[in-house]
Amino acid sequence: VLLVESGGGLVQSGGSQRLSCTASGMIFSFSLYTMAWYRQAPGKERELVASIDSGGVINFGDSVKGRFTISRDNGMKTVSLQMNSLNTEDTAVYYCNAVGQFFTSGREEYWGQGTQVTVAS
């Protein structure tokens, strides 16, 4: 399974950026996986940014509530993260994550390679 992120880069404080993650190689339907974005800043632990499950239920990390949105397109096998009102504390490597629980294979979890988001003050 391959998760490929795109859309990272440098953005000014207060600006917006959109990340996308495209999945390939899944045995089971993309729609059955919970998709999520995590981030890791230098010297800090990886933290959940947002997740969206197979039923469309969404969760956000406390630090991004009201600023970020997450969406998925099951037909395109993509999950996107729209980030608004960015600040320097949002600077991190952002990782795409897929988790599924299946009767035949058990729990499956996959990670993308990460994309750097840098917010300049």
Side-chain angles (χ1 to χ4, degrees):
V1 173
L2 193 62
L3 302 177
V4 178
E5 301 104 335
S6 61
L10 178 65
V11 62
Q12 292 298 313
S13 181
S16 298
Q17 198 160 42
R18 186 177 181 85
L19 305 181
S20 292
C21 169
T22 301
S24 62
M26 289 175 166
I27 295 176
F28 298 101
S29 172
F30 175 85
S31 65
L32 298 177
Y33 290 81
T34 292
M35 300 301 298
W37 289 93
Y38 286 77
R39 69 185 182 186
Q40 187 166 21
K44 295 186 177 181
E45 294 186 353
R46 191 172 295 190
E47 64 173 355
L48 174 70
V49 176
S51 67
I52 180 168
D53 72 10
S54 58
V57 177
I58 292 173
N59 286 301
F60 291 103
D62 289 341
S63 61
V64 306
K65 286 180 180 177
R67 300 188 298 123
F68 290 13
T69 58
I70 187 171
S71 59
R72 65 188 298 162
D73 183 333
N74 290 330
M76 297 298 292
K77 299 181 182 180
T78 61
V79 60
S80 298
L81 183 70
Q82 178 65 42
M83 305 183 292
N84 300 323
S85 302
L86 287 162
N87 58 62
T88 56
E89 294 184 353
D90 296 315
T91 295
V93 178
Y94 284 71
Y95 296 91
C96 182
N97 172 267
V99 175
Q101 185 74 37
F102 305 103
F103 179 76
T104 54
S105 62
R107 187 176 188 275
E108 298 182 8
E109 183 171 19
Y110 306 102
W111 292 91
Q113 81 286 353
T115 186
Q116 176 71 46
V117 173
T118 302
V119 183
S121 58

